[in-house]
Amino acid sequence: MSKSTESLPNTNGIHGKSSNQDQASKVDKVELDVPKLHSLPSEQQNLYLLTFTLGLENQVCSLSHDEICLQQPQITKQLLQIIHLGAPVPTRVIRNSLGKCWSYMLDKGDRKPLYESINQLLGVISAGKNEKELHSRHAAVYCLGEVYKAAGDSAITLSEVSCSALLRLVKLAQNHVGLRAAIYRALEKTVGSVQASLDEGTAREIWKTARTAASGDKAALVQANACRCLEQLVSRTSFFDAANDFEALRTTIWKTCDSPNVIARRAAASCLAAILVKGYSDTAISTLKAKPKKSKKSGKNQVADDGDDVPSRSESPATKKSVVKLEFTFVSILVQLSSHYVRSSTSNRARAAITHCYIQVLHRLDRSMVQASYGQLVEHLFSELLSNSSIMYDRYRLLLTRKYVQKILTDCVNSQILAESGRLSAAKTLINNVLKNYPQVVKETAEPSKQALVGALDALASLIESLGSVFSSLGDTCQDALVQVLQHPSYTVQIQAAYCLRAFVLACPQHLIHCASICMNNATRELAHLTTGRQSHRRCIGFANGLAAVLSVSPLQPLYGSLEISSRALSIATDLLKGSGRSELRVSSTQVQVAWILIGGLMSMGPDFVKIHVSQLLLLWRNALPKPLTKENTAQRDVAELSYLTHVRECALGSILSFLESNQRLVTLDVSIRIAALLQNTTDFLETLPVRKKDEDPLSRIIPSLQLADLVVMVRRRVLQCYTQLINFGPASGADALGDSKLLSLAVALFADPVYAPSSLESSIANSTANFESIWDIADNSGFGITGLVHGQHIRALPGEETAINSSDQRSLVNGLADIDDALMSPIHGAREHDSVHIHIHEGSRVQELPDPPATEVVNSAIALFAIVFPSQSAKVQEFVLEQLTTHLSAGTLQRAPGRRAAVAVNTAMALLGALKVAAGETPGESGDLKHPAVERTLEALLRTFAIDPDQHVRHIGYEGLGRLCNTSGNAFTTNEVNLLIDLIVSNRDPNARAGYAMALGSIHSNVGGMAAGLHLRKIHGVLLSLCGDPHPVVHCCATAALSQVAESSGLAFSGYVSSTLGLLAQAWSSDTHNEESASLGTSNTEIEQPTPLVVAGAINSMINVLGPDLQENSKARELIVSLVNQFERDESSTVRAEGLRCWEHMNLYDPGHISLTTYVKLLQKDLRSSDESTCTIAADGLYNLARRNAELVFQVAGEGFEEQIWLTLNDQPTLAGIRTLVETWVSQTSLTDTPQWILRIQQVLTKSVAKQMEVPQSAKAATEPELQDEEVAGFATIETKEKGAAVAPEPSQELLRWQVRVFALQCLSSFVTIVGKDLDLDSDSTAGQVLQSKVGDVIRMAFHASTSSVVELRVGGLKLINQILKIFGSTPDPDFSEALLLEQYQAQVSSALTPAFNADSSPELASAAVNVCATFIATGMVTDIDRMGRILKLLVGALDSINGQTQIPMA
C-alpha cells in the first residue's frame, strides 16, 4: 500500500511552494505513458492516472493566453486520450480535472477549437450502443457540460445537436445512475449557457425527458439533476411561461417532493420556486384574485386543486401559449404552495420540500417587497397553514407545521431578510394585526384563531430576542397586547403568551415590575370570580403562568426586580393553599394550581430569595403530598375526587422540580431526605389508583381536556424528573436515602415494558408486521413509547452532561435549512404547552429543546433515572436488571408488534448508553461501578446486538456504548473485545454488522485513548483499512469514519500508518464506488445519505493533525494532502468544502511556509460571504487564526474592501465569534501603531449606513433619532455635523448598522483607549498617547452620540467611554493653553451626555454609569469652583431626590 502514496501535484495556488517549475515550458512534453500505465499493478493504475491528470490540470491552469493558444491542440489530444481509456476508467475526480482543463482553455485561451472540441466529444458520446464504453461516455458528457458552461454562448449552432445526442444517450444509460445524472447536469449547463437561443423543439424534448426523470427515476441524484435542468429551462427560456406548462411542471414537482432523499426534494423546491418567482407580477392582482373564487363556489371547505388558479382550456398548446401568460401575485404564489401542503394526502416529506420552497421564494423576491408584504405573509401562514382543519386535527402534523412556520418567519425572514427597522415594523404588524384583534373589537375583523395566536406569539418572541432593547419603542403596545392574550381560554395560547412575555421583559426589563403587577392584580381579581360562569378559572391560570414567567426574569435582571412583588406573590399563593379546602372541587383545583404555579415561578429566583422560606415550603409540600390511604379507601372515591388528588400532586411536584433546578445549594441532606419521602408517597399513591377505562364522563373531569389517566402520566413524569434532579445534584450522602425506593424496577417498567397500548387506531395499524417500515416514520407524536432523547444521529445530553453526542458525519457541518429535514427524523415533536414549568426553569433561549409530550417525557425521565441509579447498585442488582431487560427485548409479544419492539430497543440502548456515561464520569454525580464480570458480559452482549441493528441510529447508540464499556472495564476486557470484534468482522458478511463493528472499533479506540489502546492500533488499522475498500457504501463509509476516529485519538502513535492511510484515502476519494456518481442505484442513493467524500475529507483533516509540524519535512504526504484538499475546495457539496476549509486552517497552523497567504486569505474572504452557516463560521475562525500572528498583514493582503466586509458580515451575524475575536485581536495588536486610523475607523462604523428595504417607520425614526430635551445637547449635535471628519446622518433611504454591531464597535474603542492609556502611563511621551490626546474631541463626540442613543447598551457604553477619557486626561493640561486643562473645553458636552441618564426613562445601570462619570469628573479637579460645577451637582441632587421618592425597593 505504501507504493501507492506517491505525491499528487498541486492543483491550486494555495500551496505556495510547488515542486513543478517552469511548468509552461513542459506542457508539450506532458504525455500519458499508456504502456507504463498498463504495466502497473491494478491497484496502482488509478492513482497513476489521477497523478497525471491533476498534473496536467495544474500545468494548464498556470499557462498564459499565448501559451494556451500554442499548446491547445496537444492538450486536447491528451484529454481525449484519457477519455478513451478502457482501463483504468476515468473516475469522478479525473472527470472533474478534464472538465476544468477544457473550461480553462476555452475561457482563458482561444475559442477557435471550440467547435472541433464539441464535435470530438459528441463523437465519443454517440459512438454506437456498446455499454462497455459507458465510462468514456460519462467523461465525455461531463466535459461537454463544462465546455458549454465556459463557452456555450459561442457554440449556439451546435446546441441542438449536442442536446439531441445527450437525450439519445439517456436510454442507453438506464443501468448507470452516474451517467444519467451527468446527462441532465450537462443539459442544465447547456441550457444555462445558450439561454433564449435554444431551439424550442429541443427545449421541449429536454422538458419532457427531464420531467419524466424527475418524477419517475429511482435515483435521487438523477431526480435532483433533472429538477435543476428544469429550473434552467423555466428561468433561462420563455418557452414554458404558459399556464399548462406550469401545471405539468407542478404535477412533476409534487411527485418529486415525495422522494425519501433530501437532495431531490430540495432541487424540486428550488425548481418550483424559480417558476413562481419568474411569474411574479404586481399587475396580476385583478386576474388572479378572481380565479380562485370560481373554484371555491363549487364546494365550501374544499382544498383547491393543483390548477385552481388557472382555468382549464380546450385550446391547443400553441393557442394557449399565445393567449395565457403565467402571472402570480405574492399571495397567489403562497396559495400555490399552501394548497398542496394542507392536503391530507400530502406526505410530511412533501411538506418539508414545500417549506424549502417557501424559503427559496422569499429569498429570491425583492427584499423590500417581502418587507412590505410581511402582513400578508403572516396572515397566509397563520390562516392557510396553521389554522387549516387538516393540520389542526393531527397533533404531529400541527407541531411539524408550527416548526416550519417558525423556520420561515424566524430563520428566513427575521434573520436573513429584514433589517433592524424591518424587524420593528414586523413586530408592530404582529401586535396590531394579530394580537390586538383578540378579543374581537371590530365586526369587520375576525378574531384570530388559536393557532394564529400561537404562531404570532412565537414569531414576536423571536423578533424581541433579536431586537433587544431597541424593542422598547413598542414596549407599551406590546405589554398591553400580551396581557390581553393571557386571558385566552386556550392553555396553549396562554403558555405561548407567557413565554413571549418573558422574552419581552428580558429585553425591556423596565417593564418587569409593571407586568408583574398587572398579572398579579388580574389573577387576584379573577380568583374572586371563580364561582361565576365567566371562565375565570382559565384566566387565572393564564395570568399565573404570565406572572411566573415574569418573576423568573428577576435573577437575570436583578436591578429591575422587586422584593415586594415577590413577597406578595408568595403570600397570595400561601393564602390560596390554606383556603382551597373550603371551596368546591373545581374551584379548589384552580386555586391550588395557581398557587403552585406562582411558587414554581418564585423558585427560579434563586437561593437568595428562597432560603428564608425553605421550612415553609417543606411544610406546604408535605401537606400536598401526604402518605396515601389504602387501596380500598381509594377505590371508594369517584373519578372527580381522584382526579383532584392527582392534579394537586402534579402541581406541587412542579414547584419541587423548579426548586431543585434553581436552588441546588439549598438541597441539604435533610431537605433531600424529606423530598425523597414525599416522592415515595406520591409513587405509592399512584399504585393505589384503580385501573379504569380510558373513556370517562366529561362532567367528572377536573380539567375538561385531561382524563385521570393523563393526570397520572403527568404526575409520574414529575416524580421521575424530581428523582433525577435529587440524585444527580443533591448531596452524595443523600443518595443512600433513596435506595429503598424501587427506582430501577419502576424505570425499567416504564421504558422497556413489552406491553404497550397504541395511542390511536392508525398506530395500531402501523404496528402490524405487514405495515411497519421504520420507527422514525411513525408520525403520531407517540412512536410506540419511544424516547425523545434520540433524534436521528443526535443523542440528547443527560442532566448535568456537558455536551450531547453527534455522529461523526455532516451533523457538525449543516446549515440552518437542515433543521427542516431533520424534523422528519423523529416520530415526536415537542411544544411549550407540554410542560409549563419548562418556561421558568430554563434560560428560555430558543436553542433549548422543547419539552416532549408527557408520555414521552416519562420515558425520557425513566431512562435518565436508570442511567444515574444503575451504576451505583450492587452487582447482583445490576445483573438482575440486565436479565430483565434481556427478557423484555426477547418477549414474544414484541415479535408480533414490530413498532413497540423497535421502540423498546431504542429505549434500552439509550438507557445502557446513559448508564455507561455515568460510569465513565461524564455527569456530575457519582460514577458508580460496572466492573463485575457477569455485568460486563451481559452489557457486552446487549450492546453488540444493538451495534449490528439494521437501524443506523440504534447502531450509533450501540457502538458508542461499547466504547464506553471498554473505557470503564479495563485493559483485559478491551483486548478481548477488540479481538472478538475483529473475528466477527472477518466471519460476518452482513454489511450492517460489518459497519457496526467497524464503528465500534473506532469508538473503543476513541474512548479508551491512544495510550491504552496503542497495543491494538496495528490490528484495528489493518482491519479498518481493508473495510475502507469494501464495495458496500455503508461499510466503507463507516470504516473510513472509524479510521478517522482512530487517527484522532492516537495522535503521534498513528504517524507510522499515515502513508498507507493517505494512499487508501486518495483511492477512496477517486473511486466511483465511493461517491454518489456510482453506476449502482443502491450505492448512489446510500452515498447521498451517508456521503463517503465528506468522511474522507474529515479523515484527511485527521491525518493533518497527526502529522502536525512534520508536514514541513514530509513532502510526499504534504503534496498528496494538498492535492486532495484542493479537490475538496471545488466539490459541489458545501459540507465537503467546509471540511476542506478546516484542512487548510490546520495546514496553515502546522506548515505556514508552504501555504500562499494571499490565496488563502482570498479563499477565506470568498467563503465568508457564503450562505452556508458552517462555511462562514469556519472561514471566520480561519481569519482569526491568521490574525493572531499578524492582523495587519492579513488586512493588507485581503485588500481595501475587506474591512467593510468584516463589519457587514458582523451586521448579518452579530454573534459570529470568529469575526468578533478577529477584530479584538486587530485592536490589541495595532492600537499603538495605528492610533489615528482606529479613531477614524470606529467613527465610521458608528455612523456607517446600509441600504434598508423601506422607509423607516415612525417608531424606528424615534429610536434612531431621540428627541433631546436639552439646548446644549441639540447645539452640540448641530455643530459636530459640520466639522471635518464628523459623523454624517444617514440618508432617509438608509439606516445604521445593527445596534449590536455598534455596541461592539464601542467596546473596541474602549479597549483601544485602555491600551493607549496604559502605554501613556508607562511612557509619558508615548506617540499613541499624543495622538489620542489630539483626537480626544472626536472620541468624546462618539461617546456623546452613544450616550444619547435610544439603546441602553449604547448609552452605558458611551458613558463608560467618557469615564475612561476623564481618568486618562482629566489632569492633562491643554497644549495650546497651558494654564487650562485639556478637557475643560468639553465640560458642556460631558454634562449634556449625562443629562439623559437622569431622565425618568433611565435605567439603573445607566444611572450608575452616569454617577461614576460625575464622581470621576469631580475627582479630577478639573473644576474647583462650586458655582461652575452647578449643572453636574444639580443632576446628582435631582437623582437623589427621585430615589428618596420611590416606593419600590429594587432588589440588587
Side-chain angles (χ1 to χ4, degrees):
M1 188 66 71
S2 61
K3 293 182 180 179
S4 63
T5 58
E6 60 181 283
S7 65
L8 299 181
N10 174 37
T11 59
N12 191 286
I14 292 184
H15 191 215
K17 297 182 180 180
S18 176
S19 59
N20 300 318
Q21 299 176 355
D22 300 324
Q23 295 169 345
S25 63
K26 294 185 179 182
V27 173
D28 56 344
K29 298 180 182 179
V30 173
E31 184 175 353
L32 179 63
D33 191 345
V34 178
K36 180 181 178 181
L37 172 66
H38 289 157
S39 67
L40 294 172
S42 58
E43 66 271 10
Q44 295 186 25
Q45 290 182 6
N46 287 323
L47 196 57
Y48 180 86
L49 181 60
L50 177 63
T51 302
F52 173 82
T53 308
L54 294 181
L56 180 62
E57 176 195 341
N58 185 35
Q59 295 182 13
V60 168
C61 292
S62 66
L63 298 178
S64 63
H65 171 76
D66 295 336
E67 292 168 337
I68 289 178
C69 295
L70 182 63
Q71 304 292 341
Q72 216 158 343
Q74 298 179 19
I75 297 173
T76 303
K77 180 181 177 181
Q78 292 297 314
L79 298 177
L80 289 170
Q81 185 181 18
I82 296 174
I83 289 176
H84 281 291
L85 279 176
V89 296
T91 58
R92 185 184 68 150
V93 179
I94 295 174
R95 291 192 297 269
N96 293 345
S97 294
L98 298 179
K100 185 175 181 182
C101 289
W102 247 306
S103 174
Y104 188 86
M105 284 192 301
L106 295 173
D107 186 37
K108 303 295 184 182
D110 193 356
R111 290 194 176 185
K112 289 180 181 180
L114 174 61
Y115 275 62
E116 182 182 356
S117 298
I118 293 177
N119 286 325
Q120 289 170 334
L121 292 172
L122 289 176
V124 178
I125 292 171
S126 306
K129 298 183 179 180
N130 186 5
E131 293 191 7
K132 294 182 179 180
E133 299 177 356
L134 287 182
H135 292 292
S136 298
R137 295 182 181 186
H138 191 177
V141 167
Y142 179 83
C143 292
L144 181 64
E146 290 298 305
V147 167
Y148 266 97
K149 182 179 179 181
D153 53 345
S154 301
I156 294 175
T157 55
L158 287 180
S159 61
E160 183 178 354
V161 179
S162 302
C163 292
S164 299
L166 291 171
L167 291 173
R168 286 195 301 270
L169 187 58
V170 172
K171 186 176 181 181
L172 192 62
Q174 289 306 307
N175 295 324
H176 197 296
V177 172
L179 178 54
R180 292 203 307 278
I183 290 171
Y184 290 109
R185 198 61 193 270
L187 288 171
E188 173 203 348
K189 295 173 182 176
T190 304
V191 173
S193 179
V194 177
Q195 299 187 12
S197 302
L198 185 66
D199 176 70
E200 182 174 1
T202 304
R204 292 281 173 190
E205 283 295 320
I206 300 173
W207 173 264
K208 179 181 177 182
T209 308
R211 280 181 48 225
T212 303
S215 60
D217 204 297
K218 295 181 180 180
L221 183 63
V222 177
Q223 286 183 299
N225 285 355
C227 287
R228 296 185 183 112
C229 181
L230 291 171
E231 182 177 350
Q232 289 295 325
L233 284 172
V234 299
S235 302
R236 304 291 185 178
T237 70
S238 58
F239 305 135
F240 307 100
D241 294 344
N244 62 326
D245 292 318
F246 171 71
E247 292 175 4
L249 177 63
R250 184 176 56 184
T251 303
T252 299
I253 293 300
W254 292 151
K255 292 179 180 178
T256 312
C257 286
D258 283 325
S259 170
N261 206 291
V262 174
I263 186 175
R265 298 200 298 265
R266 290 191 184 181
S270 179
C271 178
L272 184 59
I275 194 170
L276 290 174
V277 172
K278 184 182 180 183
Y280 170 73
S281 173
D282 290 331
T283 60
I285 296 177
S286 59
T287 56
L288 286 181
K289 276 191 175 179
K291 288 170 185 174
K293 292 182 180 178
K294 294 182 180 179
S295 62
K296 289 181 180 179
K297 291 179 182 178
S298 59
K300 295 181 180 179
N301 300 326
Q302 295 282 340
V303 180
D305 290 332
D306 281 347
D308 281 344
D309 61 315
V310 181
S312 59
R313 295 172 178 266
S314 58
E315 294 91 351
S316 64
T319 308
K320 202 185 299 184
K321 175 188 171 185
S322 61
V323 174
V324 180
K325 183 181 179 182
L326 194 64
E327 288 187 340
F328 299 107
T329 61
F330 180 66
V331 174
S332 62
I333 288 176
L334 301 178
V335 170
Q336 289 291 332
L337 301 176
S338 64
S339 61
H340 189 71
Y341 186 100
V342 299
R343 288 179 177 166
S344 56
S345 59
T346 302
S347 66
N348 289 325
R349 291 170 179 167
R351 292 190 173 96
I354 293 171
T355 305
H356 280 293
C357 195
Y358 270 111
I359 293 174
Q360 290 276 354
V361 166
L362 293 171
H363 274 301
R364 297 184 188 196
L365 290 172
D366 185 70
R367 290 189 172 192
S368 60
M369 194 284 299
V370 174
Q371 178 173 331
S373 306
Y374 185 82
Q376 295 176 319
L377 175 63
V378 295
E379 181 183 359
H380 166 84
L381 294 175
F382 298 159
S383 61
E384 299 297 327
L385 294 189
L386 287 175
S387 301
N388 188 277
S389 57
S390 66
I391 301 295
M392 286 193 302
Y393 298 132
D394 186 301
R395 181 65 178 169
Y396 180 91
R397 204 177 291 168
L398 173 62
L399 296 182
L400 182 70
T401 303
R402 263 200 225 165
K403 181 173 290 188
Y404 286 165
V405 168
Q406 181 260 340
K407 198 74 182 173
I408 294 170
L409 292 179
T410 301
D411 295 353
C412 174
V413 179
N414 177 17
S415 300
Q416 301 175 5
I417 295 179
L418 298 181
E420 196 168 279
S421 61
R423 293 190 183 94
L424 275 172
S425 177
K428 194 173 183 180
T429 300
L430 290 171
I431 294 171
N432 294 335
N433 295 2
V434 183
L435 300 185
K436 282 198 169 183
N437 287 332
Y438 177 82
Q440 187 177 15
V441 180
V442 183
K443 290 184 178 181
E444 292 76 14
T445 304
E447 183 177 284
S449 67
K450 177 177 83 171
Q451 300 304 331
L453 287 171
V454 171
L457 289 165
D458 189 72
L460 181 60
S462 165
L463 289 167
I464 292 172
E465 289 171 2
S466 64
L467 286 169
S469 56
V470 171
F471 188 77
S472 57
S473 59
L474 298 176
D476 295 336
T477 308
C478 180
Q479 175 184 290
D480 296 341
L482 292 177
V483 170
Q484 194 68 29
V485 175
L486 277 175
Q487 306 177 56
H488 197 280
S490 169
Y491 182 74
T492 300
V493 176
Q494 291 176 357
I495 296 302
Q496 195 68 44
Y499 169 77
C500 189
L501 186 64
R502 185 186 192 280
F504 165 67
V505 173
L506 192 59
C508 307
Q510 62 270 25
H511 292 269
L512 191 152
I513 293 178
H514 195 199
C515 286
S517 300
I518 293 176
C519 291
M520 185 181 298
N521 294 336
N522 286 339
T524 305
R525 185 188 70 245
E526 295 298 336
L527 284 168
H529 296 87
L530 284 176
T531 55
T532 63
R534 62 179 216 164
Q535 293 190 340
S536 290
H537 62 284
R538 293 180 180 268
R539 296 176 182 173
C540 287
I541 302 302
F543 287 125
N545 278 303
L547 178 56
V550 172
L551 291 175
S552 68
V553 177
S554 295
L556 303 176
Q557 298 284 359
L559 296 176
Y560 296 86
S562 169
L563 283 173
E564 181 184 353
I565 294 287
S566 304
S567 301
R568 282 181 56 198
L570 182 59
S571 176
I572 291 173
T574 305
D575 293 342
L576 286 173
L577 291 175
K578 291 178 180 178
S580 61
R582 297 187 295 270
S583 304
E584 184 266 334
L585 206 59
R586 286 177 175 79
V587 174
S588 176
S589 69
T590 302
Q591 292 174 333
V592 169
Q593 186 174 2
V594 170
W596 288 121
I597 288 173
L598 295 182
I599 292 175
L602 291 169
M603 294 302 97
S604 61
M605 295 184 66
D608 292 338
F609 174 80
V610 176
K611 63 183 178 182
I612 61 175
H613 304 290
V614 170
S615 58
Q616 182 183 5
L617 290 170
L618 289 172
L619 180 62
L620 294 175
W621 287 330
R622 190 185 67 182
N623 293 335
L625 305 171
K627 291 184 178 181
L629 300 176
T630 62
K631 285 189 176 182
E632 293 75 12
N633 183 282
T634 306
Q636 296 174 2
R637 299 176 184 269
D638 59 8
V639 174
E641 194 171 352
L642 291 176
S643 298
Y644 171 78
L645 294 174
T646 310
H647 176 60
V648 168
R649 283 165 170 78
E650 196 275 334
C651 296
L653 288 170
S655 66
I656 293 178
L657 178 62
S658 182
F659 169 79
L660 294 174
E661 285 271 2
S662 306
N663 303 273
Q664 294 173 8
R665 64 184 176 91
L666 297 182
V667 185
T668 61
L669 178 60
D670 177 63
V671 171
S672 65
I673 292 175
R674 293 191 184 191
I675 293 179
L678 298 178
L679 296 178
Q680 185 61 49
N681 292 345
T682 308
T683 305
D684 296 339
F685 168 78
L686 293 177
E687 293 177 355
T688 63
L689 290 176
V691 179
R692 296 181 180 271
K693 294 182 179 180
K694 185 78 173 179
D695 297 327
E696 301 170 358
D697 183 6
L699 297 178
S700 64
R701 299 178 185 174
I702 294 296
I703 301 176
S705 60
L706 296 177
Q707 301 181 24
L708 176 59
D710 300 321
L711 293 171
V712 169
V713 170
M714 296 169 67
V715 172
R716 187 167 284 124
R717 171 190 63 182
R718 287 282 182 258
V719 169
L720 294 171
Q721 289 174 337
C722 292
Y723 266 131
T724 303
Q725 288 295 323
L726 191 59
I727 297 174
N728 213 19
F729 300 105
S733 56
D736 299 334
L738 306 175
D740 295 334
S741 57
K742 302 175 183 178
L743 297 181
L744 274 180
S745 300
L746 174 65
V748 170
L750 291 173
F751 70 73
D753 190 349
V755 180
Y756 176 77
S759 58
S760 65
L761 178 62
E762 293 180 0
S763 297
S764 59
I765 294 174
N767 197 27
S768 63
T769 306
N771 296 314
F772 182 80
E773 293 182 2
S774 171
I775 186 66
W776 311 107
D777 295 332
I778 305 298
D780 63 350
N781 225 45
S782 173
F784 303 106
I786 193 173
T787 177
L789 299 175
V790 181
H791 189 93
Q793 296 281 20
H794 175 72
I795 298 175
R796 202 184 300 177
L798 292 174
E801 187 183 359
E802 292 185 1
T803 57
I805 298 178
N806 290 329
S807 92
S808 56
D809 62 4
Q810 67 267 37
R811 282 291 309 182
S812 59
L813 292 169
V814 295
N815 56 29
L817 296 180
D819 293 344
I820 297 173
D821 301 295
D822 285 350
L824 304 177
M825 297 172 65
S826 174
I828 296 165
H829 285 304
R832 290 190 179 90
E833 62 267 24
H834 290 155
D835 191 353
S836 61
V837 177
H838 187 269
I839 294 177
H840 51 78
I841 65 174
H842 290 286
E843 289 295 325
S845 172
R846 302 188 67 84
V847 299
Q848 289 284 346
E849 298 278 357
L850 294 178
D852 289 326
T856 305
E857 282 293 344
V858 168
V859 178
N860 296 347
S861 302
I863 290 174
L865 182 61
F866 175 92
I868 295 170
V869 173
F870 180 76
S872 60
Q873 302 299 309
S874 65
K876 289 185 178 180
V877 174
Q878 292 175 352
E879 189 175 354
F880 173 76
V881 171
L882 290 176
E883 290 176 359
Q884 189 179 2
L885 287 175
T886 306
T887 304
H888 286 334
L889 287 170
S890 58
T893 55
L894 291 183
Q895 308 308 316
R896 299 184 296 272
R900 179 57 181 168
R901 183 178 64 217
V904 170
V906 174
N907 294 347
T908 305
M910 186 60 215
L912 296 180
L913 175 61
L916 288 164
K917 285 182 180 180
V918 174
E922 298 179 23
T923 57
E926 293 186 8
S927 58
D929 185 12
L930 296 174
K931 293 183 179 181
H932 192 273
V935 174
E936 291 175 349
R937 283 195 302 269
T938 311
L939 278 173
E940 177 193 13
L942 286 171
L943 292 172
R944 202 184 305 132
T945 303
F946 297 138
I948 63 174
D949 195 275
D951 189 332
Q952 62 171 326
H953 307 313
V954 179
R955 288 203 304 272
H956 180 214
I957 303 172
Y959 60 70
E960 288 287 348
L962 277 174
R964 286 166 173 80
L965 178 61
C966 291
N967 183 28
T968 60
S969 298
N971 292 334
F973 181 86
T974 302
T975 301
N976 294 333
E977 185 65 21
V978 169
N979 293 332
L980 181 60
L981 289 175
I982 292 175
D983 293 339
L984 289 172
I985 289 173
V986 173
S987 61
N988 201 323
R989 307 310 301 170
D990 178 33
N992 292 325
R994 290 163 70 85
Y997 291 146
M999 290 301 297
L1001 289 174
S1003 178
I1004 289 171
H1005 202 286
S1006 177
N1007 281 279
V1008 172
M1011 295 183 65
L1015 298 174
H1016 317 292
L1017 179 58
R1018 184 178 60 83
K1019 292 186 291 185
I1020 292 176
H1021 176 262
V1023 171
L1024 294 180
L1025 215 59
S1026 62
L1027 289 179
C1028 288
D1030 193 290
H1032 197 282
V1034 175
V1035 176
H1036 62 238
C1037 180
C1038 290
T1040 308
L1043 194 60
S1044 178
Q1045 278 187 295
V1046 170
E1048 284 282 3
S1049 57
S1050 297
L1052 288 175
F1054 196 82
S1055 56
Y1057 304 94
V1058 168
S1059 179
S1060 57
T1061 306
L1062 281 176
L1064 183 131
L1065 292 175
Q1067 291 180 3
W1069 173 259
S1070 61
S1071 175
D1072 270 350
T1073 60
H1074 286 56
N1075 60 66
E1076 67 275 10
E1077 295 183 20
S1078 170
S1080 169
L1081 173 64
T1083 300
S1084 177
N1085 286 344
T1086 306
E1087 283 290 345
I1088 292 175
E1089 295 177 358
Q1090 301 181 37
T1092 302
L1094 175 59
V1095 180
V1096 170
I1100 292 296
N1101 191 27
S1102 301
M1103 296 299 105
I1104 295 172
N1105 290 326
V1106 167
L1107 288 172
D1110 291 343
L1111 279 168
Q1112 301 175 23
E1113 307 298 333
N1114 195 339
S1115 60
K1116 284 189 175 182
R1118 184 180 65 246
E1119 293 287 346
L1120 179 54
I1121 289 173
V1122 166
S1123 298
L1124 290 173
V1125 175
N1126 283 321
Q1127 297 293 319
F1128 304 158
E1129 180 193 327
R1130 301 198 329 243
D1131 198 87
E1132 294 181 356
S1133 169
S1134 60
T1135 53
V1136 175
R1137 292 197 301 272
E1139 196 64 53
L1141 272 183
R1142 285 180 175 167
C1143 293
W1144 282 128
E1145 181 179 346
H1146 294 149
M1147 285 283 291
N1148 180 71
L1149 176 66
Y1150 299 127
D1151 188 15
H1154 288 90
I1155 299 294
S1156 171
L1157 179 63
T1158 303
T1159 310
Y1160 181 43
V1161 170
K1162 296 294 183 184
L1163 174 64
L1164 293 176
Q1165 275 186 271
K1166 176 177 71 70
D1167 288 325
L1168 195 60
R1169 295 188 291 267
S1170 173
S1171 59
D1172 181 71
E1173 293 179 11
S1174 59
T1175 303
C1176 184
T1177 301
I1178 296 171
D1181 292 339
L1183 288 168
Y1184 163 64
N1185 287 327
L1186 286 175
R1188 291 171 63 185
R1189 294 178 184 162
N1190 191 335
E1192 190 65 26
L1193 179 61
V1194 172
F1195 279 84
Q1196 288 176 2
V1197 169
E1200 294 183 0
F1202 182 53
E1203 184 179 332
E1204 182 177 5
Q1205 181 188 356
I1206 288 293
W1207 293 110
L1208 292 179
T1209 301
L1210 202 56
N1211 191 53
D1212 294 333
Q1213 304 180 61
T1215 58
L1216 192 58
I1219 296 297
R1220 297 175 73 93
T1221 51
L1222 166 65
V1223 177
E1224 289 169 354
T1225 303
W1226 190 21
V1227 171
S1228 63
Q1229 291 182 8
T1230 61
S1231 292
L1232 301 180
T1233 58
D1234 201 12
T1235 309
Q1237 188 61 34
W1238 265 113
I1239 296 174
L1240 179 61
R1241 184 176 291 131
I1242 299 298
Q1243 191 174 22
Q1244 291 173 345
V1245 172
L1246 292 175
T1247 58
K1248 183 178 180 60
S1249 56
V1250 292
K1252 66 180 181 183
Q1253 291 80 26
M1254 295 185 65
E1255 188 67 25
V1256 182
Q1258 292 300 320
S1259 60
K1261 286 183 179 179
T1264 55
E1265 299 175 7
E1267 183 178 357
L1268 305 177
Q1269 304 295 334
D1270 189 292
E1271 293 182 2
E1272 289 189 35
V1273 177
F1276 185 55
T1278 304
I1279 294 172
E1280 59 88 22
T1281 56
K1282 300 178 182 179
E1283 296 182 8
K1284 184 177 179 180
V1288 180
E1291 296 294 328
S1293 60
Q1294 296 180 324
E1295 63 181 22
L1296 297 172
L1297 297 176
R1298 285 194 193 185
W1299 68 267
Q1300 293 95 333
V1301 181
R1302 287 180 282 148
V1303 168
F1304 175 66
L1306 207 60
Q1307 292 170 352
C1308 291
L1309 181 59
S1310 177
S1311 300
F1312 160 78
V1313 171
T1314 300
I1315 293 171
V1316 175
K1318 289 181 179 179
D1319 186 64
L1320 196 60
D1321 291 339
L1322 296 174
D1323 181 9
S1324 58
D1325 297 328
S1326 167
T1327 304
Q1330 293 175 359
V1331 172
L1332 179 61
Q1333 179 179 326
S1334 65
K1335 298 286 185 179
V1336 70
D1338 294 334
V1339 177
I1340 291 180
R1341 184 179 295 111
M1342 286 185 277
F1344 162 77
H1345 262 288
S1347 63
T1348 54
S1349 168
S1350 63
V1351 182
V1352 174
E1353 289 83 354
L1354 275 172
R1355 297 169 75 176
V1356 173
L1359 290 178
K1360 288 182 177 178
L1361 183 59
I1362 291 177
N1363 198 35
Q1364 283 182 285
I1365 294 297
L1366 288 173
K1367 289 180 178 179
I1368 295 174
F1369 297 110
S1371 58
T1372 303
D1374 193 322
D1376 298 327
F1377 303 96
S1378 56
E1379 66 278 2
L1381 294 178
L1382 174 65
L1383 296 182
E1384 275 193 62
Q1385 56 185 311
Y1386 302 108
Q1387 289 181 63
Q1389 291 89 328
V1390 172
S1391 58
S1392 298
L1394 291 171
T1395 302
F1398 294 102
N1399 288 344
D1401 62 344
S1402 182
S1403 63
E1405 61 262 44
L1406 184 61
S1408 173
V1411 170
N1412 286 336
V1413 173
C1414 292
T1416 305
F1417 184 87
I1418 296 172
T1420 56
M1422 187 187 310
V1423 179
T1424 55
D1425 188 355
I1426 193 170
D1427 296 329
R1428 295 176 57 192
M1429 208 180 292
R1431 182 167 185 177
I1432 290 181
L1433 292 177
K1434 182 181 179 182
L1435 291 173
L1436 289 173
V1437 171
L1440 290 172
D1441 290 341
S1442 64
I1443 291 175
N1444 291 332
Q1446 285 184 351
T1447 57
Q1448 298 288 345
I1449 303 175
M1451 185 182 71

